[in-house]
Amino acid sequence: MVETQQDCRQSMTQSAAAITNSEQNLTLADRVCQQIITAIVKGEIPTGSKISEPELARTYGISRGPLREAMGRLESLRLIERKPNIGARVVELSVKELLEIYRVREALEGMACRLAALNMPQSEIESLRLLLDQHQGNIEEQEGQAYFQKEGDLDFHYRIVMASGNSKLQELLAADLYHLVRMYRYQFSLSSSRPTLALREHHQILDAIELRDEELSELLMRRHISASRKNIESKLNEK
């Protein structure tokens, strides 16, 4: 087991180095797009707010050409939308649309988790445990008030979906709806008990995957997402 953990730490170090190298190869539009994605996900640019391209250009120190390229990518990721005579705005889902997405996630991520119990290598499971340890530290830094997961390989849900090995699930959950779901996952977890509970549920899901218990893995993921949906409904009812 010690050797396995050492291998996983080495793997994560190599992954971090790869990410760093990848970031160095990003274009200016790529980097600004990532920065704006993070700002939208964290609510620093609120849902429904109008996007001022001149203001963004000043904020991020970028010319209008690369900014337009970044804006096009944000639109393709469904984080912003353009409307005639209004301009660009950050997407704001209706309550109905949001809850529908969570019900779809409950079914599809449950299926992804079942497949992950079949397909995820032990080395990936150990690597994911180390990631959850990092998440624990991040939550503690926020005094249990937030659970922000960076995108891609630093996101527990993304890793489960990718481990499913199912390309259609990956297209739906790790591409089409990915950042939109991240935004609502994060913003509705703020100032509640969900961050600590969500992390505990992530550990339970990973335990079931390691046991290769397909049925339990799917059940726990569905319960996890259902609990998040109910948390959202509760917060919306408070407004």
Side-chain angles (χ1 to χ4, degrees):
M1 180 63 71
V2 172
E3 291 180 357
T4 301
Q5 290 177 340
Q6 289 174 341
D7 289 343
C8 289
R9 289 191 180 93
Q10 183 179 3
S11 175
M12 290 192 72
T13 301
Q14 291 171 344
S15 296
I19 291 169
T20 300
N21 291 335
S22 176
E23 288 173 349
Q24 291 173 346
N25 293 328
L26 293 176
T27 65
L28 181 58
D30 291 329
R31 288 195 295 272
V32 170
C33 184
Q34 288 186 348
Q35 290 174 311
I36 297 174
I37 287 172
T38 298
I40 291 174
V41 168
K42 287 188 168 184
E44 294 164 4
I45 304 177
T47 57
S49 62
K50 188 174 181 180
I51 299 290
S52 166
E53 291 192 17
E55 184 176 336
L56 284 180
R58 287 193 298 272
T59 298
Y60 294 100
I62 187 173
S63 64
R64 297 293 291 276
L67 179 60
R68 288 196 186 98
E69 185 180 344
M71 292 287 285
R73 294 178 192 177
L74 291 167
E75 190 172 9
S76 70
L77 293 171
R78 305 188 187 187
L79 288 178
I80 67 170
E81 57 186 355
R82 299 178 191 273
K83 293 186 177 180
N85 306 317
I86 296 177
R89 290 184 181 273
V90 177
V91 168
E92 184 173 28
L93 297 180
S94 69
V95 174
K96 181 175 181 291
E97 289 173 320
L98 179 57
L99 296 180
E100 283 178 348
I101 284 177
Y102 266 76
R103 291 190 183 279
V104 168
R105 283 188 63 211
E106 185 178 334
L108 296 186
E109 288 198 40
M111 184 187 303
C113 207
R114 171 182 283 271
L115 293 172
L118 279 174
N119 299 322
M120 185 181 284
Q122 183 63 31
S123 59
E124 172 69 2
I125 291 171
E126 296 295 340
S127 175
L128 205 45
R129 286 200 187 282
L130 293 175
L131 178 65
L132 292 181
D133 289 342
Q134 292 180 9
H135 290 179
Q136 175 71 50
N138 294 340
I139 290 174
E140 289 172 356
E141 287 177 4
Q142 299 296 320
E143 298 181 344
Q145 297 301 300
Y147 188 174
F148 176 70
Q149 300 180 61
K150 293 183 179 180
E151 63 184 282
D153 286 344
L154 300 177
D155 181 342
F156 178 80
H157 287 267
Y158 178 91
R159 295 273 287 270
I160 296 294
V161 170
M162 297 309 291
S164 74
N166 185 295
S167 62
K168 296 304 177 185
L169 288 174
Q170 291 166 355
E171 287 173 15
L172 290 167
L173 298 171
D176 288 357
L177 296 174
Y178 180 59
H179 290 292
L180 196 59
V181 167
R182 282 183 71 223
M183 177 176 71
Y184 282 100
R185 267 173 36 201
Y186 175 74
Q187 293 182 24
F188 277 98
S189 74
L190 295 173
S191 301
S192 74
S193 61
R194 274 306 294 166
T196 300
L197 288 174
L199 181 62
R200 185 184 308 157
E201 290 163 8
H202 286 172
H203 278 289
Q204 291 169 346
I205 289 166
L206 192 56
D207 288 342
I209 289 173
E210 185 167 30
L211 290 171
R212 306 302 178 185
D213 190 327
E214 302 162 45
E215 185 175 351
L216 181 59
S217 298
E218 178 174 6
L219 175 64
L220 290 175
M221 179 61 86
R222 291 182 68 111
R223 284 181 177 174
H224 170 64
I225 295 173
S226 176
S228 296
R229 173 178 52 79
K230 290 173 182 175
N231 177 61
I232 289 173
E233 289 177 313
S234 174
K235 288 198 167 228
L236 291 172
N237 289 333
E238 292 172 1
K239 294 183 178 181

